[in-house]
Amino acid sequence: MSRLIVASNRTATPGEERAGGLAVAVGDALAERGGVWFGWSGEIVPRETRGIRMFVDGNVDYALADLTPVEHQGYYLDFANRALWPVLHYRVDLAVFDDAAYDVYAAVNRRFGRLLYQLLRPEDLVWVHDYHFLLLGDELRANGWRGTIGFFLHVPFPAPEVFAALPQHHRLARGMAAFNLLGFQTARDVGNFTRYLVEEHGAEVLEDGRIKVFDHVIRAAAFPIGIEPDEVARMAESDEARDAACRLGRIIENRALVIGVDRMDYSKGLPQRLAAFGRLLDDNEGLRGRVTLLQIAPPSRESVEAYRDLREELDRLTGRVNGDYSDLDWTPIRYLARSYSREVLSGLFRLARVGLVTPLHDGMNLVAKEYVAAQDPEDPGVLVLSEFAGAAERMETAMQVNPHDVGGMADAIRRALEMSKEERIERWKVLMDEVSDHDISVWRQSFLNSLEAIGREAG
Ligand code: ADP
């Protein structure tokens, strides 16, 4: 079995707390095959001391490269976070386009490509992750690498004209065409990417589905990412989970709990969600005093203006609903701007009658899957899911909503609260089968199988 080389902006070094599902999956794949995990060290250091830290854990080598302050600003904060992230999530209005930032992004991909190339052996299988490294494959090729390179985009690939809004999209597309296999979360993303290459770059889709573009023949396919459902189910029954559910239960008493758990990000549809909950109370007098929304959303990347505005808007919306409807013993929206352990979250998911997952756009959305996996099979809650989350493509028995439609969401929450146990169980079973059938190990195995098959074809 060839060695696996994984490149991702952030890596999960051994012993780090709260390694997420992705880190576990990548770590397992690396441990199984042996290999290298390459990425940013998380350190920002002056140019003179910039280096690469290497250490070994079992049969996995970690190679972690530092960034200088200029690189961190241009590559990470400005281009990846303020241009690529918003455009890939359909928020061209929030994107800041800056040629100088792109140049630093390209330079970091070039420098990292050089560093990574030095670690490679001829038979290695290379797997690059996410939008930070769109040019990394091309840079490996520029250094002389001829082996197979796979790429997985964790976020959505938007409609062609949205991606084409990036002033540097031509150069990015050429970079992406250097990968042999491009994996996406959904069939919709694959369709968008293919149409983009055809419309903007005259690509040709071959009979076997491969795409001929810029003198390369590449493959694009969907590999929906998953979770470890058994792990979540186990955590939902842990002491920590029960304890958390008990503490919250004392406060909400016998009221129905509606839960939302997100990173605070403008892609998550939080203002629309809070507005929908407000509308639910406006329109249904009978629900006042009988249902509580718990929204957990720790702030992220506050340095960016758009996030500060979002925080203010959420405070305002929460204030409006709580101001209108709170009573001596009831606050309609409990908004917690902090993060919790996975055990605590699982316990809260299990307690909640309704899980609200309503991003405006999301690559997959793992919270949707975690909510399902945490439920009590005898008395499961209802998932209300945005049709624009990647998860929606295969979670058909969730109550799917348009996250821009505040009235529609309010109505869906009401119906979820009123749903019979029989229907809840019926819907949940189908969702749980999907979450189990496409767990995180199926994701990594199917991607690596496809990548290896391409390697064999290429001989
Ligand atoms: P994204 O990758 O955009 O943040 P996902 O829903 O795909 O969205 O993944 C988020 C992960 O982070 C999930 O595993 C979820 O449980 C976790 N998470 C999200 N919000 C919180 C929070 N407030 N506290 C702790 N963990 C969180």
Side-chain angles (χ1 to χ4, degrees), residues 18 261-263 268 296 298 339-340 345 365-367 370:
R18 270 206 78 243
V261 173
D262 308 79
R263 272 185 310 109
K268 300 294 182 185
I296 298 178
S339 53
Y340 288 89
L345 289 183
N365 197 294
L366 295 179
V367 169
E370 290 165 354

Side-chain angles (χ1 to χ4, degrees), residues 300-319:
S300 60
R301 309 181 216 167
E302 294 103 310
S303 55
V304 183
E305 189 111 347
Y307 292 92
R308 276 202 302 272
D309 295 348
L310 178 60
R311 174 73 201 250
E312 278 169 21
E313 191 175 3
L314 297 180
D315 287 344
R316 189 178 56 73
L317 281 162
T318 307

Side-chain angles (χ1 to χ4, degrees), residues 230-456:
D230 299 342
E231 169 88 354
V232 174
R234 193 190 52 70
M235 287 190 302
E237 296 196 74
S238 65
D239 290 344
E240 208 182 331
R242 282 178 207 275
D243 204 51
C246 203
R247 272 177 65 198
L248 181 63
R250 275 201 294 273
I251 292 171
I252 61 167
E253 295 176 326
N254 52 0
R255 298 181 184 97
L257 176 66
V258 176
I259 197 166
V261 173
D262 308 79
R263 272 185 310 109
M264 193 195 289
D265 188 283
Y266 47 77
S267 64
K268 300 294 182 185
L270 292 166
Q272 291 84 345
R273 189 184 308 168
L274 296 185
F277 192 76
R279 180 77 65 86
L280 177 79
L281 299 179
D282 293 340
D283 293 351
N284 298 279
E285 209 177 327
L287 285 177
R288 295 180 203 155
R290 296 185 43 209
V291 55
T292 298
L293 170 63
L294 177 67
Q295 177 62 55
I296 298 178
S300 60
R301 309 181 216 167
E302 294 103 310
S303 55
V304 183
E305 189 111 347
Y307 292 92
R308 276 202 302 272
D309 295 348
L310 178 60
R311 174 73 201 250
E312 278 169 21
E313 191 175 3
L314 297 180
D315 287 344
R316 189 178 56 73
L317 281 162
T318 307
R320 191 293 273 181
V321 177
N322 285 348
D324 279 358
Y325 296 116
S326 289
D327 209 336
L328 291 175
D329 59 351
W330 174 63
T331 308
I333 302 181
R334 293 175 60 87
Y335 170 46
L336 305 179
R338 52 163 290 187
S339 53
Y340 288 89
S341 72
R342 305 181 69 208
E343 282 79 6
V344 167
L345 289 183
S346 307
L348 301 179
F349 286 150
R350 196 177 175 95
L351 185 67
R353 171 49 56 89
V354 180
L356 274 186
V357 180
T358 58
L360 304 180
H361 278 283
D362 217 330
M364 176 54 60
N365 197 294
L366 295 179
V367 169
K369 298 191 173 189
E370 290 165 354
Y371 176 76
V372 168
Q375 294 308 302
D376 174 358
E378 312 279 313
D379 190 16
V382 180
L383 176 64
V384 173
L385 179 62
S386 161
E387 61 184 287
F388 304 123
E393 200 163 280
R394 288 167 175 273
M395 297 183 92
E396 285 165 10
T397 59
M399 297 197 65
Q400 296 208 2
V401 293
N402 173 350
H404 301 277
D405 176 8
V406 167
M409 279 195 288
D411 197 47
I413 302 169
R414 183 186 54 74
R415 283 187 292 136
L417 289 167
E418 289 168 357
M419 194 178 284
S420 70
K421 190 194 257 189
E422 204 182 8
E423 185 178 349
R424 282 189 276 124
I425 292 176
E426 217 170 278
R427 285 174 180 262
W428 175 80
K429 274 188 178 153
V430 181
L431 295 177
M432 192 58 206
D433 283 348
E434 165 56 24
V435 170
S436 303
D437 289 349
H438 288 97
D439 70 3
I440 187 84
S441 58
V442 168
W443 170 76
R444 78 167 158 90
Q445 211 46 63
S446 55
F447 186 90
L448 289 173
N449 288 347
S450 298
L451 192 59
E452 282 191 307
I454 289 171
R456 280 195 300 275

